[in-house]
Amino acid sequence: NAGVTQTPKFQVLKTGQSMTLQCAQDMNHEYMSWYRQDPGMGLRLIHYSVGAGITDQGEVPNGYNVSRSTTEDFPLRLLSAAPSQTSVYFCASSYTNRGRNEQFFGPGTRLTVL
Amino acid sequence: AQSVTQLGSHVSVSEGALVLLRCNYSSSVPPYLFWYVQYPNQGLQLLLKYTTGATLVKGINGFEAEFKKSETSFHLTKPSAHMSDAAEYFCAVSDREAGTALIFGKGTTLSVSS
């Protein structure tokens, strides 16, 4: 199993550009989520999905869109990039939404918005 | 609402010394508690978790943590630090009843000197 994969690893955008961060998992996990990591802030939840066709907002959803058309994929879209979205983005998945289940994290995407 | 506080953003120890990383949580319901480790430029890896049962939890790489309900704490310890333990450590909590996403602390960077 490849686990949780994320592409690209690095990305530089100009303010106002749009892009999609890709996330895929091959563990047949129901639950997937996106976090952003900023220095001194820990990880903050952006959006999450409890299954195909179901998504919901996390702590910091503004400026981001998600969709979940398949179990495997959970892309994160930046509609109009802003410098405040410069961050490291992590995708994670777990077997179910039950809190006891370990979340598996991807290697991250480092995004810089100029 | 749940929250996690990690005391000390940076902890420095000598090789062979005791490692103690502090985590206190706030939760209105019995929580699930996790410690994750992040090595430089990598994603997060689960060290250990407390879900139910024994309050002393053993994890990978010689780490352990004790759930103390009366103190609302889940401190991470290792008897003897190794150079390879240098990393950032995150404590996280999830709601066992609602099955919500992980809420992370802001992280503690562990430095190990020879």
Side-chain angles (χ1 to χ4, degrees):
Chain A
N1 288 349
V4 180
T5 57
Q6 293 183 237
T7 56
K9 291 188 176 181
F10 302 93
Q11 183 70 50
V12 179
L13 293 178
K14 295 181 179 179
T15 297
Q17 287 185 314
S18 63
M19 79 160 295
T20 300
L21 279 62
Q22 302 291 344
C23 173
Q25 53 89 11
D26 61 357
M27 298 174 282
N28 201 31
H29 284 172
E30 293 181 357
Y31 183 83
M32 298 185 73
S33 55
W34 277 101
Y35 293 87
R36 60 176 290 173
Q37 182 181 24
D38 302 292
M41 299 293 290
L43 279 80
R44 293 179 292 170
L45 182 67
I46 304 172
H47 285 285
Y48 65 94
S49 169
V50 300
I54 306 170
T55 64
D56 206 346
Q57 297 181 351
E59 179 185 358
V60 289
N62 292 340
Y64 307 96
N65 274 1
V66 293
S67 61
R68 183 98 179 268
S69 57
T70 67
T71 300
E72 294 77 19
D73 300 299
F74 190 44
L76 178 71
R77 297 182 186 84
L78 280 69
L79 305 176
S80 178
S84 61
Q85 294 178 304
T86 293
S87 187
V88 181
Y89 292 84
F90 289 99
C91 180
S93 73
S94 64
Y95 182 60
T96 70
N97 190 36
R98 300 303 294 250
R100 69 183 301 151
N101 292 111
E102 172 188 358
Q103 290 201 33
F104 293 84
F105 285 81
T109 293
R110 188 174 296 272
L111 175 68
T112 301
V113 182
L114 303 175
Chain B
Q2 295 175 307
S3 65
V4 173
T5 301
Q6 291 184 239
L7 300 175
S9 60
H10 201 129
V11 171
S12 297
V13 300
S14 299
E15 194 171 21
L18 171 71
V19 175
L20 171 60
L21 305 182
R22 300 177 187 273
C23 172
N24 288 90
Y25 69 91
S26 173
S27 178
S28 58
V29 297
Y32 293 131
L33 294 161
F34 303 79
W35 275 101
Y36 281 84
V37 61
Q38 184 182 31
Y39 299 103
N41 299 314
Q42 295 187 25
L44 277 72
Q45 177 184 3
L46 181 70
L47 271 179
L48 50 80
K49 65 179 181 181
Y50 168 77
T51 56
T52 188
T55 56
L56 181 62
V57 182
K58 296 186 182 299
I60 62 172
N61 302 337
F63 284 93
E64 62 182 34
E66 186 171 9
F67 170 60
K68 292 187 176 181
K69 182 179 178 180
S70 61
E71 299 178 5
T72 61
S73 69
F74 191 57
H75 301 331
L76 182 71
T77 61
K78 181 174 181 178
S80 177
H82 192 273
M83 297 292 286
S84 61
D85 295 326
E88 190 161 19
Y89 292 80
F90 292 95
C91 182
V93 63
S94 68
D95 183 338
R96 69 171 54 204
E97 295 192 4
T100 55
L102 290 173
I103 305 299
F104 284 89
K106 295 185 178 181
T108 298
T109 299
L110 175 66
S111 299
V112 182
S113 58
S114 57

